[in-house]
Amino acid sequence: GLGAMAAVLILVFKDTLLGLVASIQLSANQMLSVGDWITIPGRDVDGTVSDITLNTVKVRNFDKTIITLPTYSLVNESFQNWKGMEESGVRRIRRAIFIDMRSIRFLDAELKRKFSEYPVLKEYIEKAENESPFFNPSGLTNLGLFRFYAETYLKQHPLIDKKEIIILRHRDPAGNGLPLQVIVFATNNQMTPYENIQSDIFEHILAIIGEFGLRVYQQPTGDDLLSLSNKSETVIN
């Protein structure tokens, strides 16, 4: 009888017991507090914690919806807490643009003459050609020069934290061109200023990249297919 009674009590108060243990763990490990911005992609959670009780945690999403979670689910599952980012005062930008690999080529005389008008790029070209045994006039590529330009641009950007990492790197190509990933930290981590900083940087990169003889890879659109069709008809006629 006592065993049956205990089993019934456990079933009835299961959520309460799990919530109590989870609350202790969340509090003891300083994992969560009211006002924290958390994300749980699997549960469509992306907002700030508005209330924490023994059994539930309420999150107000940025789209103004409210999601209620069992407290123990935050211990059983992983979630991302943005508190560290908010306290640091900076926020990481990590995004890639895809380069059409057919547009990558060695730096020819025309491009060399064009960019030698800019002292910083001229110095880099001369250094690459004359000081390193691994570089020569035919070894420097337009992509390599563009990476140097973009890195210099980011280091001079007034809204990029110079104490944090600033890097441009290649990622493995997967049929959509060569991903060129930019990793920097914005000095303003608030939503609107951060998005504006990120947009300004990539708008500049996309606008200037053609000057280096590079093309951005993108899927063909209806206009592209129509243009190819018209060219084919012209050739046939």
Side-chain angles (χ1 to χ4, degrees):
L2 290 175
M5 179 80 63
V8 171
L9 289 174
I10 289 174
L11 288 174
V12 172
F13 295 103
K14 181 186 71 171
D15 290 343
T16 302
L17 293 172
L18 290 174
L20 176 62
V21 174
S23 297
I24 294 173
Q25 289 180 307
L26 291 173
S27 177
N29 297 321
Q30 299 181 347
M31 298 168 61
L32 190 67
S33 58
V34 173
D36 287 356
W37 170 18
I38 65 171
T39 54
I40 310 175
R43 292 179 177 265
D44 294 326
V45 172
D46 184 15
T48 56
V49 177
S50 60
D51 188 33
I52 302 175
T53 66
L54 187 63
N55 294 323
T56 61
V57 173
K58 288 185 179 180
V59 180
R60 181 181 294 274
N61 282 341
F62 295 124
D63 62 0
K64 304 305 180 181
T65 59
I66 295 176
I67 294 183
T68 302
L69 306 167
T71 305
Y72 61 82
S73 68
L74 297 176
V75 176
N76 295 337
E77 304 174 15
S78 62
F79 67 94
Q80 187 173 16
N81 191 328
W82 295 83
K83 184 177 181 179
M85 179 273 294
E86 292 178 333
E87 292 177 345
S88 70
V90 298
R91 186 173 175 184
R92 185 182 67 180
I93 296 173
R94 185 177 69 176
R95 183 184 290 183
I97 59 173
F98 294 84
I99 308 296
D100 187 340
M101 290 188 286
R102 293 171 297 183
S103 67
I104 301 173
R105 66 179 189 270
F106 292 121
L107 200 65
D108 56 25
E110 180 182 353
L111 286 177
K112 178 182 175 182
R113 183 173 57 256
K114 175 181 178 180
F115 291 114
S116 292
E117 298 177 3
Y118 305 94
V120 175
L121 297 179
K122 180 180 179 181
E123 181 181 353
Y124 177 75
I125 293 171
E126 291 176 349
K127 182 178 179 180
E129 292 179 353
N130 301 325
E131 295 185 9
S132 172
F134 298 102
F135 286 89
N136 53 63
S138 63
L140 186 60
T141 66
N142 57 345
L143 179 57
L145 185 62
F146 172 74
R147 286 191 296 106
F148 173 77
Y149 166 83
E151 185 174 320
T152 303
Y153 162 75
L154 292 170
K155 288 178 179 178
Q156 295 176 352
H157 198 291
L159 299 178
I160 295 299
D161 194 322
K162 312 306 185 295
K163 299 187 297 296
E164 300 292 343
I165 186 173
I166 298 176
I167 188 171
L168 283 84
R169 62 178 183 174
H170 298 162
R171 309 306 292 163
D172 293 337
N176 294 323
L178 178 67
L180 181 64
Q181 189 179 63
V182 176
I183 302 177
V184 293
F185 284 80
T187 55
N188 194 323
N189 59 16
Q190 299 303 307
M191 179 68 72
T192 301
Y194 165 78
E195 293 295 344
N196 287 335
I197 294 168
Q198 184 171 223
S199 298
D200 287 344
I201 288 172
F202 279 89
E203 286 167 7
H204 177 83
I205 288 176
L206 291 171
I208 200 71
I209 195 170
E211 298 294 327
F212 292 80
L214 294 165
R215 293 191 302 273
V216 176
Y217 181 90
Q218 63 181 14
Q219 298 290 345
T221 63
D223 289 339
D224 297 326
L225 297 176
L226 180 62
S227 177
L228 289 174
S229 177
N230 291 337
K231 288 181 180 179
S232 299
E233 291 178 1
T234 300
V235 171
I236 292 174
N237 292 335

